[in-house]
């Protein structure tokens, strides 16, 4: 059965499981064509890709997506120190277990940094499956162009543990909706689904730990921005211009940084293009991958 992404409960019920070094990891895979790895963002999970799952399968792709440690249905150890390197390790582990030798990436938000790290490892000649190309959606590709929301600044600061404890469905809905476009807002049921995945295993109390990724981006800036500049594989940016975090300003900086930058701008879309405009993201992704 490959149409499980059409229903939230069915998606949850079709999770498969991998034992990672710090807990069990939920993942989904379907199809039998060229592998495409979908890497989700913060603070959500692989359900983010559900609106594109069936049409990507119809295009003849083998899809692979996991909920990273601390996200979605995966384990969320409370005393763990989370970092992006570990999340890249989990993707490498799953690809190895699935016997994948080469693949493409579609990454969003937090996930773009995981993709950049996987590219950096490939550039270093480390053993593993070969990345053929990458499509980035909105995300902090260039740390200086990432504009965190107030709640992200608070989570990273000394009040972070308190902010995590105070997070409620109402506060989440207001903050989360603010990064979407004005005409592409998530409705109540959609927000409830995102919230349900966040609160699974009390993950909504870990924001101050997961937010460490912002420091990782600063620490590894040269490494991760370097793979963009050197364009070691074909890469495309699909950017929701109205995103206050990594929207049009990020696309402008990317254009100035990357030689012959390939950018698709979605002028009426915010931070979640794959949710707000899945048909256009699908078309731009497939056009790029099928060149």
């Amino acid at each position: 059965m490959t149409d499980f992404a059409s229903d939230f409960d069915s998606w949850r019920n079709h999770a498969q499981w991998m034992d990672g070094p710090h807990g069990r990891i939920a993942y989904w895979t379907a199809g039998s064509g060229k592998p495409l790895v979908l890497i989700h963002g913060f603070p959500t999970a692989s359900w983010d890709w559900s609106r594109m799952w069936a049409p990507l399968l119809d295009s003849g792709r083998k899809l692979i997506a996991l909920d990273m440690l601390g996200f979605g249905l995966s384990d969320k150890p409370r005393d763990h120190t989370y970092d992006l390197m570990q999340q890249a390790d989990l993707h490498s582990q799953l690809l190895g277990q699935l016997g994948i030798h080469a693949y493409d990436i579609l990454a969003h938000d937090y996930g773009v940094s995981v993709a950049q790290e996987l590219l950096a490892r490939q550039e270093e000649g480390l053993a593993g499956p070969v990345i053929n190309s990458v499509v980035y959606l909105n995300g902090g590709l260039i740390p200086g162009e990432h504009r965190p929301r107030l709640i992200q600044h608070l989570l990273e600061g000394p009040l972070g543990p308190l902010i995590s404890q105070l997070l409620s469905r109402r506060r989440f809905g207001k903050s989360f909706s603010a990064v979407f476009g004005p005409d592409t807002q998530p409705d109540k049921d959609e927000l409830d689904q995102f919230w349900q995945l966040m609160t699974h295993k009390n993950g909504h109390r870990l924001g101050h730990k997961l937010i460490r990724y912002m420091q990782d981006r600063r620490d590894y800036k040269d490494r991760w921005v370097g793979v963009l500049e050197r364009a070691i594989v074909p890469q495309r940016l699909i950017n929701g211009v109205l995103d206050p975090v990594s929207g049009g300003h990020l696309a402008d900086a990317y254009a100035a940084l990357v030689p012959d930058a390939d950018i698709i701008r979605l002028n009426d879309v915010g931070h979640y293009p794959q949710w707000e405009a899945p048909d256009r993201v699908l078309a731009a992704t497939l056009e790029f991958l099928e060149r």
Side-chain angles (χ1 to χ4, degrees):
M1 181 178 180
T2 58
D3 61 350
F4 51 81
S6 62
D7 176 77
F8 181 67
D9 290 332
S10 181
W11 175 265
R12 291 180 59 127
N13 293 336
H14 279 80
Q16 301 178 64
W17 298 93
M18 175 181 77
D19 290 326
H22 305 291
R24 295 180 78 219
I25 301 299
Y27 74 91
W28 294 260
T29 185
S32 58
K34 293 181 180 179
L36 176 63
V37 175
L38 310 172
I39 310 180
H40 71 78
F42 170 94
T44 46
S46 289
W47 173 246
D48 297 354
W49 303 110
S50 60
R51 292 186 168 181
M52 294 180 61
W53 189 269
L56 281 171
L57 281 179
D58 290 343
S59 75
R61 285 276 168 172
K62 178 181 180 66
L63 303 183
I64 301 163
L66 62 79
D67 283 352
M68 288 181 270
L69 188 71
F71 295 87
L73 300 183
S74 292
D75 279 350
K76 300 172 179 178
R78 294 189 62 81
D79 297 327
H80 185 67
T81 299
Y82 293 84
D83 66 59
L84 288 162
M85 291 294 191
Q86 296 168 2
Q87 309 290 19
D89 292 344
L90 288 173
H91 283 85
S92 295
Q93 179 184 339
L94 179 58
L95 291 169
Q97 289 185 197
L98 295 176
I100 302 301
H101 301 292
Y103 64 105
D104 300 291
I105 295 176
L106 174 58
H108 173 241
D109 186 76
Y110 184 98
V112 305
S113 299
V114 175
Q116 287 170 284
E117 173 55 26
L118 291 169
L119 278 174
R121 295 179 186 186
Q122 178 163 308
E123 187 177 36
E124 291 173 339
L126 299 180
V130 174
I131 301 168
N132 291 322
S133 67
V134 182
V135 177
Y136 306 108
L137 303 185
N138 294 55
L141 291 162
I142 305 167
E145 302 301 327
H146 179 241
R147 298 176 181 174
R149 306 297 286 170
L150 174 60
I151 190 171
Q152 292 174 289
H153 284 299
L154 292 172
L155 284 170
E156 192 178 28
L159 294 177
L162 175 61
I163 299 301
S164 290
Q165 293 304 310
L166 293 176
L167 185 63
S168 65
R169 165 63 178 81
R170 183 185 63 80
R171 290 190 175 102
F172 162 73
K174 182 178 179 180
S175 176
F176 190 67
S177 297
V179 301
F180 284 66
D183 299 322
T184 52
Q185 289 282 298
D187 64 26
K188 178 185 180 298
D189 289 343
E190 292 164 5
L191 289 171
D192 286 344
Q193 291 166 355
F194 290 124
W195 179 245
Q196 189 176 143
L197 288 168
M198 280 186 64
T199 58
H200 183 70
K201 299 182 180 178
N202 284 318
H204 59 310
R205 302 305 184 212
L206 296 177
H208 61 292
K209 289 182 168 288
L210 295 172
I211 204 68
R212 176 189 164 91
Y213 77 88
M214 296 205 303
Q215 183 61 50
D216 287 341
R217 285 175 172 169
R218 293 189 288 268
D219 291 345
Y220 295 104
K221 176 182 177 181
D222 292 344
R223 177 179 177 85
W224 293 345
V225 173
V227 296
L228 300 178
E229 293 178 294
R230 292 186 291 277
I232 65 170
V233 301
Q235 50 192 358
R236 166 172 280 185
L237 171 64
I238 303 174
N239 183 261
V241 172
L242 298 182
D243 172 17
V245 179
S246 51
H249 61 282
L250 183 281
D252 291 342
Y254 183 91
L257 175 76
V258 177
D260 301 316
D262 182 347
I263 303 172
I264 303 295
R265 298 175 190 256
L266 305 179
N267 292 318
D268 57 344
V269 169
H271 187 68
Y272 274 79
Q274 74 274 42
W275 194 267
E276 299 175 64
D279 292 344
R280 282 183 283 165
V281 174
L282 175 73
T285 298
L286 293 181
E287 185 273 329
F288 173 76
L289 294 177
E290 293 169 0
R291 285 180 184 174

